[in-house]
Amino acid sequence: ITPALGGRLPAMQKYLRELQPSTFEDLIAMNALYRPGPMDYIPDFIDRKQGRKPVEYDIPCMEKYLKDTYGITVYQEQVMLLSRQLANFTRGESDTLRKAMGKKLIEKLNHMYPKFIEGGKKNGHDPKVLEKIWADWKKFASYAFNKSHATCYSWVAYQTAYLKANFPAQYMAAVMSRSLANITDITKLMSECKSIGINTLGPDVNISRRKFSVDVDGNIRFGLGAVKGLGDSAVDAIVKEREAHGPYKNIFDFIQRVPSGAVKRNNLESLVLSGAFDCFDGITREQYFGVNAKGESFVDQLARYGSRYQGCRAEFTFRGYGHGGNRYAGSAAGRTVEFVGAFEQGARFGRHLSVRPSVGRLCRHTSKCVQRAHGGFERFGTVCQYGPHVGRHGHGRTEGYLQDR
């Protein structure tokens, strides 16, 4: 709930429970009263609302403007209207009185006091009653509030209170998503979630979105955008790839699929420390920071592997030529293609074949030799899988498997 109507304000919550508001006007009044000065009138306001005390007006004619607030002056607008009614203030003078109250100009109020008393006497009102009214207004001036502002705040508070009461997990997720860059506020909100029985789960590269979200069990999932050191470009790349091609199977699948230019070494470290990789079995957070004989951590090796793997995939594609000279590039899985160059007729189908970069660049030249030797292209088989591969010495190549046609 917004602070305007009790969010993390125990005293306000206590007063609201005692008041048991039944109309929107009650919320507006409490919003305006819960401030230094007018706050002293809250117990009396509640007693009058509940019928424990009679609703009284210092002067009977004041009921016209004080009926909705049970005879208690709450808003600046009421002061303006009553000053005209009781002491014949002009519209300009009543507005000056409003400004003096709004800006807490005590000297200005003292200057207007004689005019109020004299004007009230001319209308037949008791000077002592007028002095009491003015004293109330003077205290009210210590933190005066206008009804238009109180109405807006109360409307927002009413809406958010409804959402928190009926959709608590979704509401809290939305509030935390407003503070992605402020971990202090997020920590406080997570504590509030715990107090109302909502679990906040850690980030997960296979589930989390950029902002906080709610899963099917009603738990809040930590947003990747709130992970320190990750960055928007890395978050967008992770979510986009996952939505396009499904969840990541393991850490190596993640490294191969997510663009290395978007998710760098420091981003990987942030994901590890936040627990976003805990969904991958077989490796703990500590192991990511284990070092090899060269003093390189596993995170460093993953970052280098991803960069090389994707560099090879971008530079070297699995190439083939079909009848009529149509060229196939990129994913050829499931297609019947005409293999040339390194894939010679003598190769056994189903065996592991590899094309080194130097051979891949000679495909065009080799195809001419094959065409002259065989008088045309000859169908070898069907590609069942392929992909770029980085060897143990860091050399890149494209590997594939063939099935007999």
Side-chain angles (χ1 to χ4, degrees):
I1 305 175
T2 61
L5 277 182
R8 297 181 293 278
L9 295 176
M12 181 58 144
Q13 292 173 335
K14 171 180 175 292
Y15 285 139
L16 285 171
R17 282 192 285 267
E18 293 176 356
L19 179 65
Q20 298 180 17
S22 57
T23 66
F24 186 56
E25 285 286 345
D26 292 340
L27 298 182
I28 300 173
M30 284 299 294
N31 201 319
L33 284 171
Y34 194 77
R35 305 170 190 284
M39 188 181 291
D40 296 339
Y41 294 98
I42 290 180
D44 196 31
F45 181 86
I46 293 173
D47 289 340
R48 295 187 183 194
K49 159 74 175 178
Q50 298 301 327
R52 292 188 289 269
K53 286 185 178 181
V55 178
E56 298 176 342
Y57 304 96
D58 294 322
I59 300 175
C61 65
M62 297 174 69
E63 181 179 0
K64 179 179 179 180
Y65 300 119
L66 300 182
K67 183 177 180 180
D68 290 339
T69 54
Y70 309 105
I72 298 174
T73 304
V74 176
Y75 312 115
Q76 291 179 358
E77 290 87 344
Q78 290 175 318
V79 173
M80 293 174 64
L81 293 169
L82 288 172
S83 65
R84 296 179 209 168
Q85 182 187 54
L86 299 176
N88 299 325
F89 274 36
T90 64
R91 291 180 179 271
E93 290 172 334
S94 65
D95 188 56
T96 300
L97 179 61
R98 176 194 64 80
K99 291 179 181 178
M101 288 186 170
K103 296 181 180 180
K104 306 173 182 61
L105 304 177
I106 303 301
E107 292 184 2
K108 189 70 174 178
L109 289 174
N110 292 337
H111 177 74
M112 302 185 74
Y113 169 72
K115 180 176 179 58
F116 177 77
I117 298 298
E118 292 301 321
K121 286 181 180 179
K122 291 180 180 179
N123 288 330
H125 302 310
D126 187 344
K128 293 183 178 181
V129 175
L130 292 172
E131 289 176 2
K132 176 187 177 300
I133 293 173
W134 188 264
D136 291 340
W137 288 0
K138 194 171 182 180
K139 182 184 291 187
F140 176 76
S142 63
Y143 208 112
F145 207 66
N146 59 66
K147 187 176 183 180
S148 59
H149 286 181
T151 300
C152 294
Y153 294 149
S154 299
W155 177 237
V156 173
Y158 176 77
Q159 290 176 313
T160 53
Y162 175 85
L163 291 174
K164 187 175 183 181
N166 295 277
F167 306 96
Q170 289 81 358
Y171 171 77
M172 294 304 298
V175 174
M176 286 192 280
S177 294
R178 294 283 296 173
S179 303
L180 289 178
N182 192 331
I183 192 62
T184 302
D185 286 351
I186 290 176
T187 302
K188 293 178 181 178
L189 292 169
M190 288 173 64
S191 298
E192 186 170 345
C193 288
K194 185 177 180 179
S195 68
I196 59 178
I198 300 174
N199 295 323
T200 305
L201 306 180
D204 187 321
V205 291
N206 276 333
I207 301 176
S208 295
R209 302 175 184 175
R210 183 177 182 275
K211 297 182 178 181
F212 288 78
S213 57
V214 180
D215 63 18
V216 293
D217 297 322
N219 301 314
I220 295 177
R221 178 65 68 171
F222 206 89
L224 291 176
V227 175
K228 185 177 181 180
L230 193 52
D232 291 341
S233 60
V235 172
D236 293 341
I238 293 170
V239 175
K240 182 179 180 180
E241 172 62 27
R242 186 186 71 209
E243 292 178 346
H245 301 105
Y248 304 104
K249 300 175 183 177
N250 49 54
I251 185 60
F252 299 102
D253 183 48
F254 177 87
I255 293 297
Q256 291 171 3
R257 288 168 53 184
V258 177
S260 58
V263 181
K264 299 180 176 62
R265 192 266 181 205
N266 62 312
N267 302 135
L268 292 175
E269 184 173 323
S270 296
L271 289 169
V272 172
L273 293 173
S274 67
F277 288 149
D278 289 356
C279 57
F280 299 141
D281 296 331
I283 184 169
T284 64
R285 298 187 196 181
E286 292 79 7
Q287 289 175 315
Y288 285 99
F289 298 100
V291 297
N292 59 13
K294 297 180 181 180
E296 299 173 321
S297 69
F298 186 43
V299 171
D300 293 328
Q301 296 175 63
L302 285 173
R304 186 172 63 255
Y305 168 74
S307 178
R308 289 182 177 178
Y309 179 93
Q310 294 176 30
C312 290
R313 183 170 61 182
E315 184 175 355
F316 310 115
T317 58
F318 202 87
R319 302 181 182 184
Y321 297 83
H323 293 294
N326 294 324
R327 176 180 177 183
Y328 293 85
S331 178
R335 293 180 178 174
T336 299
V337 299
E338 313 302 328
F339 293 105
V340 297
F343 301 100
E344 298 176 355
Q345 188 173 3
R348 290 186 179 183
F349 307 131
R351 288 189 60 189
H352 176 268
L353 304 174
S354 66
V355 182
R356 291 190 178 279
S358 59
V359 179
R361 288 195 290 269
L362 296 174
C363 278
R364 288 182 177 274
H365 303 292
T366 310
S367 66
K368 295 178 182 178
C369 297
V370 172
Q371 188 171 16
R372 287 200 299 270
H374 299 284
F377 296 107
E378 183 172 353
R379 181 172 298 175
F380 275 19
T382 303
V383 179
C384 60
Q385 58 178 308
Y386 89 104
H389 177 75
V390 180
R392 59 182 178 178
H393 298 298
H395 300 299
R397 65 176 183 268
T398 302
E399 295 182 351
Y401 291 85
L402 298 179
Q403 288 181 345
D404 193 350
R405 59 182 179 184

